[in-house]
Amino acid sequence: MSGQWFLFSVDLLALFGIYLALNLSLRLQLGYTGIANFGLVLAFTGGAYVGGWLPIRLGMWLVEVDPSLADDMIWNNVIIASQVDLSLHGSPGTAMTILLITLLAAGAAGALLGLQSGYPAVRLGGDYLAISLLAFGEVLAIIGNNYDPVVGGPLGVRIPDVWAWAGDWRFMAASLANCALALGVWLYLDSIEKSPMGRMLRAIRDNPDAASSLGKNVARVRLNVMVTGGIICGLAGAMYTLYTTGVAPSALSRFDWTFLPWVMVVFGGSGSNVGVLIGTFTFILVQKLIISYKFALSFLPFDPVWLQFLLMGLVLILVLNFRPSGLVTEKASYALSRREMAKAAGKESL
Amino acid sequence: MHGAMLEVRDVKKSFGGLKAVDGVSISLPRGRITLLIGPNGSGKTTLVNSITGFLRPDSGHVYLEDKEITHWPMHRICKEGMVRSFQLPAPFGGLSVLGNLLVACESACGESLLKCPLKALWKTTEKDNVREAFAMAEAMELTPYWDAVMSETSTGHIKLAEIGRALLAGAKLVILDEPICGVDPVMADEVFSFLIRLRDEQGLTFLVIEHRLDIALKYADYVYVMNQGKLIAQGSVEEVLNDSQVKEVYLGS
Amino acid sequence: MASFIDALTYSALLGLMGFGLTLIRRTTGVWNVAHGEVVTIGSYVALTATSFLAHSPYFYLPLAFLVCAGVSGIIFLAGVEPIRAKGASSILLLVVTIAISLIMIAVINIYADYLQNVFHLSSKNFLFARFDFTLLGQMGILWAAWAALAALTISYYLVLQHTRLGLALRALAEQPTLAVVMGANVKSLSLLSWCLAGGAAGLAGCLFPMRFQCHPGVGTSMIATMFAVSIFGGIEKMYGPLLAGLVLGFAQIYGIDLLSSWVGPGVIPFKDLIPMIVLLLTLQFLPEGLSGFVGRRRG
Ligand SMILES: Nc1ncnc2c1ncn2[C@@H]1O[C@H](COP(=O)(O)OP(=O)(O)OP(=O)(O)O)[C@@H](O)[C@H]1O
Ligand SMILES: [Mg+2]
């Protein structure tokens, strides 16, 4: 395998992990609970900002850095980051401590943002909820782009590389870590599927009034789901920042981190993990290929990036017309296995 | 009237200028099947909606076992022991028939986002729930269809599954809004016989709205009649049937 | 004073943009996310026409109206209606308009790249302020924007009150089933309202570069603000966007100027937060919007 292909695959894997986690969070909210969260970017941005703000400060505190640099964290950003990098090279322990604390904080930020946006939103119905979440999603972008102390304004900041200790395997390690996050979310969603939780969420999705008449606190459950979804998005945002070792508010767009996940999830099918995986992989691959083969398309009198938008829109329209539930459809499932159910019901078999 | 299961005092509910429920008071004795009848649009459903927290009544009070529950949200009222079914089909379309029944069963750990991954915490409860749900499916003659997806099930079966759902929610007072609408007559009689059995064996209280009087009156202990948002008669089946106002409303004479 | 006039101009443009969103939502129950791109197309019609055919952009207002009405009509017929006919939920319809918006973003950007690469036009950043005339000491855009908004709103009400078409439109918005019973052709009425909405967006887009910088993402970046105008104005009345446009336009330009003279210039970049905050407060406390509230007060 040539070096270029190796880098291509590793970067693909890294993005895949991030997007899969984010998309599974959308599946939890949309597919299970029927919450049309058009503000995914909010909690993701929150996590990314934590990733841009915290590690460099933790780094300064944990390793030797010229303290006078702290006078202007934004101005001296690159110097501090590279000084911290130098020490992290030799100390995976410190690096992983920074990673863990950052993830904790990002999860907390995501939870808070989920709560914040969910609290007024869960009482609204249908498309009003969607619009209010869309508006919420813009808020952090506006703040981050205009208020430099958060993460340095539109151009952003560089952060220390917590994967520096892996040396040549740095990109591989970070990519695998992203995939590990996705795997964790996958397993969590799978356990929801195979527990009474899954059917309750679907009941709330299918008929909130009937669910409420049967004693389910619909607003509370929806809020809990939004908080959980927010945590996942926050973690994904932080992992993304740690992978790219930088964050730029202007790059955290509604398109990349709300609409693109929606396209992937609607395409693959919000009713199943496998569907979400297929949708995620397909679009990441297409996106990477278009970017990599940009030069081959340079004869076009426009930027080939727009082909990606065109393709996504067309695919989405086709899917909505001919297969509105996505490629992989939802299957009714039970918390217990058929054998366990048969035994409980006192029957030979079902 | 101390000790009634449900006590409704002077409940009013208007939609714009329309007084859908205009000062209705009813009282449901424990362990009885009470029937609520009246012509289309007389306000029966609106009354039920107002006392179960689905709608906010404009005024009036509702007491469940002497505890005031006016303006409580529906889920809390259900936990307090009163459950209702809906007149129009309200299935959980993406779940199977059994899934619909299971939703009504309580599973504190299984329905928590934190605890649900730990199967050991909810497995025993779930087994009990599955047993109860299958028993209910049997009683509603839904066993052959237990695994069918609700959105692809016939209206009659949906109705039966919804009755079963309401009965599984563990309430002391069950309100059924036109439960046998769209159910074949033989099965309709069986549904009511089942309610009688639950009344006698478990002491449950029922309030049933029904238009099919030929079937429903046979099983009623007490009857309320509504017309144009007001109660016009109440009493035993004979008393109500001989009431001149009721005759007028139903026979138009 | 300058910022007062700016606010007044901006208000009218916001009103024009919100007008279409409200109309579409009222008559067909869809929140059209692609409406922002329709506005952008209006701006590019102005750019193309003025660059290749000379004349002032005002001259091309009718053209922008027609092109955008056509685009909006096509969006409805080709994108929304087939899926709506299958009984899709309002969320799914919202996703449809997002898909359309992605396609339009691509087309607009490809077109802008093409203009720049082949004709060397500055198509990624343009402003026509130099073309503007003055009337009574004010920029023409002020008068033009208000004339367009007032003409649309008033003629909408005239049509609504005095013609059969208006009656059918009202029935469609308030009682779709009744509209069917009345024998109204729901599909062509819906198409008409989408076209009208697109036309209004086209006017806004064509006028926008007279005073404000335009780029391929101009409408896209304003869509959340447009939703704020539409929802804050209230979707029950078609004068809602006009009211909300005024309030938000003033808050965003004049209000922030006032605020910065008290608090300091640090608040200016946050002017874009105002529509979001207003939108969220509206959804929470005034779900029927300004016009609904005003209407309720009057009885
Ligand atoms: N949500 C609502 N908004 C406006 N009017 C309503 C609403 N719900 C019911 N109504 C009106 O209130 C009146 C009473 O309706 P309700 O459904 O309670 O009658 P009902 O006795 O249950 O009739 P049916 O036997 O047909 O079910 C009717 O005129 C109905 O049109
Ligand atoms: Mg009724």
Side-chain angles (χ1 to χ4, degrees):
Chain A
M1 199 158 57
S2 75
Q4 198 194 344
W5 274 102
F6 180 72
L7 270 185
F8 178 89
S9 326
V10 169
D11 191 45
L12 186 95
L13 201 63
L15 273 181
F16 173 71
I18 297 292
Y19 268 103
L20 187 56
L22 197 65
N23 294 346
L24 289 172
S25 157
L26 179 58
R27 182 190 167 213
L28 173 63
Q29 300 178 64
L30 176 73
Y32 274 116
T33 327
I35 300 170
N37 194 342
F38 278 102
L40 281 185
V41 66
L42 180 74
F44 184 84
T45 306
Y49 285 0
V50 168
W53 191 86
L54 193 57
I56 195 162
R57 287 163 175 82
L58 284 174
M60 281 191 79
W61 182 56
L62 288 172
V63 304
E64 286 287 305
V65 175
D66 176 6
S68 71
L69 287 172
D71 292 343
D72 190 339
M73 292 290 295
I74 301 300
W75 182 255
N76 298 324
N77 168 252
V78 178
I79 309 175
I80 303 175
S82 38
Q83 287 199 8
V84 176
D85 268 359
L86 277 182
S87 338
L88 290 188
H89 255 295
S91 52
T94 318
M96 289 300 99
T97 313
I98 295 179
L99 174 83
L100 271 183
I101 298 178
T102 306
L103 286 184
L104 278 178
L112 213 64
L113 289 165
L115 187 71
Q116 187 77 59
S117 58
Y119 190 77
V122 290
R123 279 164 194 79
L124 299 165
D127 52 356
Y128 269 90
L129 178 136
I131 297 295
S132 92
L133 291 172
L134 191 89
F136 258 121
E138 300 295 290
V139 169
L140 270 191
I142 297 172
I143 295 177
N145 273 311
N146 292 301
Y147 186 62
D148 292 355
V150 189
V151 281
L155 296 182
V157 288
R158 204 170 98 46
I159 65 164
D161 184 6
V162 294
W163 304 108
W165 50 269
D168 286 348
W169 292 98
R170 185 259 165 212
F171 279 97
M172 200 48 163
S175 299
L176 289 179
N178 292 352
C179 290
L181 172 69
L183 181 67
V185 181
W186 174 291
L187 292 177
Y188 178 59
L189 256 70
D190 205 46
S191 72
I192 287 181
E193 179 88 36
K194 293 184 185 126
S195 78
M197 192 74 207
R199 68 166 178 256
M200 180 178 71
L201 294 180
R202 286 186 176 135
I204 287 175
R205 173 196 70 188
D206 289 344
N207 201 320
D209 290 332
S212 164
S213 82
L214 294 172
K216 313 297 173 198
N217 189 343
V218 173
R220 162 71 72 62
V221 174
R222 280 186 179 150
L223 193 59
N224 287 347
V225 166
M226 286 198 66
V227 169
T228 311
I231 294 175
I232 299 170
C233 293
L235 292 177
M239 289 298 278
Y240 179 66
T241 306
L242 293 172
Y243 170 71
T244 57
T245 64
V247 56
S250 54
L252 298 169
S253 67
R254 175 174 69 207
F255 170 76
D256 279 329
W257 304 106
T258 297
F259 289 174
L260 190 53
W262 266 82
V263 175
M264 294 167 170
V265 169
V266 170
F267 173 77
S270 65
S272 95
N273 274 357
V274 176
V276 171
L277 184 133
I278 293 175
T280 310
F281 190 76
T282 311
F283 280 94
I284 297 281
L285 186 64
V286 169
Q287 185 180 38
K288 285 288 299 172
L289 284 176
I290 288 181
I291 294 173
S292 316
Y293 284 99
K294 229 176 136 164
F295 60 90
L297 297 168
S298 58
F299 61 89
L300 293 170
F302 56 82
D303 190 336
V305 165
W306 304 117
L307 290 178
Q308 188 201 340
F309 281 68
L310 204 58
L311 187 78
M312 271 183 214
L314 288 174
V315 169
L316 199 50
I317 294 265
L318 287 178
V319 169
L320 289 169
N321 264 301
F322 299 109
R323 217 177 151 85
S325 55
L327 286 189
V328 185
T329 46
E330 180 177 305
K331 280 204 304 272
S333 64
Y334 298 96
L336 298 179
S337 70
R338 301 228 155 194
R339 242 194 43 223
E340 287 170 320
M341 284 205 293
K343 219 173 119 207
K347 301 180 188 203
E348 281 296 302
S349 70
L350 286 172
Chain B
M1 250 208 257
H2 227 59
M5 179 52 95
L6 184 79
E7 187 75 46
V8 177
R9 280 202 212 131
D10 204 26
V11 162
K12 292 184 182 168
K13 179 74 195 174
S14 324
F15 299 109
L18 175 79
K19 289 179 179 163
V21 175
D22 192 10
V24 171
S25 303
I26 61 174
S27 169
L28 304 183
R30 274 167 216 277
R32 293 281 179 277
I33 296 181
T34 307
L35 197 61
L36 175 59
I37 62 172
N40 287 112
S42 55
K44 306 179 297 290
T45 300
T46 308
L47 176 67
V48 166
N49 284 344
S50 307
I51 60 186
T52 52
F54 186 69
L55 290 174
R56 254 184 101 80
D58 300 333
S59 66
H61 299 273
V62 185
Y63 302 89
L64 184 65
E65 295 191 303
D66 297 326
K67 187 174 200 173
E68 172 142 25
I69 56 163
T70 329
H71 302 321
W72 279 24
M74 252 198 304
H75 65 91
R76 233 182 113 194
I77 289 180
C78 173
K79 290 261 151 66
E80 198 65 31
M82 169 157 82
V83 69
R84 56 85 55 95
S85 75
F86 293 86
Q87 177 175 354
L88 297 173
F92 302 126
L95 299 179
S96 66
V97 170
L98 189 76
N100 269 262
L101 295 173
L102 281 168
V103 169
C105 304
E106 170 114 28
S107 174
C109 292
E111 292 177 353
S112 140
L113 280 166
L114 268 181
K115 294 178 196 157
C116 70
L118 297 171
K119 194 171 179 180
L121 290 178
W122 48 261
K123 195 170 171 187
T124 335
T125 322
E126 183 66 10
K127 281 182 179 164
D128 292 341
N129 289 346
V130 166
R131 183 161 21 79
E132 280 178 33
F134 266 116
M136 185 59 74
E138 191 69 50
M140 294 291 131
E141 299 193 353
L142 288 169
T143 315
Y145 318 103
W146 71 274
D147 201 19
V149 178
M150 270 294 246
S151 56
E152 292 157 13
T153 310
S154 72
T155 326
H157 289 154
I158 290 181
K159 214 63 207 184
L160 290 171
E162 286 185 33
I163 301 173
R165 224 165 59 177
L167 294 173
L168 276 172
K172 296 167 278 192
L173 166 58
V174 181
I175 303 182
L176 300 172
D177 196 346
E178 303 199 15
I180 55 170
C181 173
V183 175
D184 73 81
V186 180
M187 188 59 212
D189 268 313
E190 281 183 32
V191 168
F192 270 105
S193 311
F194 187 61
L195 298 189
I196 297 275
R197 221 172 76 209
L198 289 175
R199 177 195 69 184
D200 295 341
E201 286 172 10
Q202 298 176 25
L204 297 191
T205 309
F206 293 94
L207 174 65
V208 181
I209 300 180
E210 217 13 276
H211 274 298
R212 290 165 74 180
L213 300 185
D214 50 328
I215 297 172
L217 283 177
K218 288 185 281 187
Y219 303 95
D221 296 317
Y222 199 80
V223 184
Y224 284 101
V225 189
M226 279 183 79
N227 188 32
Q228 298 189 337
K230 287 189 162 43
L231 271 187
I232 55 166
Q234 56 175 296
S236 66
V237 175
E238 291 90 79
E239 282 166 0
V240 163
L241 285 182
N242 290 321
D243 187 284
S244 60
Q245 255 185 306
V246 175
K247 278 184 185 160
E248 194 179 317
V249 165
Y250 270 92
L251 302 172
S253 56
Chain C
M1 193 58 197
S3 73
F4 181 84
I5 297 300
D6 265 357
L8 213 51
T9 312
Y10 189 61
S11 301
L13 294 173
L14 283 185
L16 275 175
M17 296 174 191
F19 181 90
L21 273 187
T22 304
L23 184 62
I24 288 174
R25 166 68 214 216
R26 260 172 76 75
T27 50
T28 53
V30 180
W31 282 120
N32 180 15
V33 177
H35 197 66
E37 284 74 39
V38 180
V39 171
T40 315
I41 289 182
S43 306
Y44 276 83
V45 169
L47 174 73
T48 313
T50 45
S51 309
F52 291 105
L53 305 170
H55 291 301
S56 139
Y58 288 120
F59 192 77
Y60 300 108
L61 274 174
L63 181 66
F65 183 93
L66 286 178
V67 170
C68 291
V71 168
S72 190
I74 292 172
I75 295 178
F76 173 71
L77 281 184
V80 175
E81 181 59 19
I83 293 172
R84 203 167 71 112
K86 293 178 190 161
S89 68
S90 59
I91 301 293
L92 224 49
L93 290 172
L94 197 72
V95 179
V96 174
T97 66
I98 287 178
I100 295 168
S101 128
L102 294 179
I103 295 175
M104 288 173 70
I105 291 176
V107 172
I108 291 169
N109 276 286
I110 288 173
Y111 183 67
D113 281 357
Y114 181 75
L115 286 182
Q116 187 177 44
N117 295 342
V118 177
F119 296 100
H120 307 289
L121 291 180
S122 122
S123 60
K124 303 258 182 107
N125 220 335
F126 55 99
L127 182 69
F128 295 150
R130 64 185 187 287
F131 289 121
D132 210 356
F133 61 92
T134 47
L135 180 67
L136 302 178
Q138 299 304 338
M139 301 260 286
I141 168 78
L142 173 67
W143 306 110
W146 273 101
L149 178 57
L152 263 180
T153 310
I154 292 171
S155 56
Y156 180 85
Y157 273 97
L158 287 179
V159 167
L160 213 59
Q161 240 112 55
H162 298 292
T163 63
R164 255 191 74 80
L165 174 71
L167 191 66
L169 263 179
R170 215 160 64 198
L172 183 61
E174 280 148 28
Q175 289 268 303
T177 42
L178 183 69
V180 177
V181 175
M182 278 171 51
N185 186 338
V186 173
K187 194 167 162 187
S188 43
L189 279 178
S190 308
L191 176 63
L192 180 73
S193 66
W194 275 72
C195 288
L196 192 58
L203 295 181
C206 184
L207 291 170
F208 205 73
M210 299 302 300
R211 183 66 195 82
F212 303 95
Q213 284 284 343
C214 276
H215 50 92
V218 65
T220 313
S221 67
M222 285 183 68
I223 188 68
T225 308
M226 294 181 211
F227 279 126
V229 171
S230 185
I231 290 177
F232 178 48
I235 56 161
E236 293 305 322
K237 299 277 183 305
M238 284 310 301
Y239 61 81
L242 193 152
L243 283 186
L246 267 179
V247 175
L248 285 177
F250 267 85
Q252 250 189 304
I253 293 191
Y254 192 57
I256 208 81
D257 253 24
L258 275 183
L259 197 64
S260 74
S261 62
W262 295 332
V263 192
V267 294
I268 292 178
F270 297 103
K271 67 176 195 304
D272 290 337
L273 278 180
I274 294 175
M276 308 306 141
I277 295 169
V278 170
L279 173 56
L280 298 170
L281 290 178
T282 309
L283 287 170
Q284 201 57 29
F285 298 110
L286 198 69
E288 75 274 44
L290 265 188
S291 63
F293 185 68
V294 173
R296 196 174 64 191
R297 271 299 158 90
R298 283 209 315 245

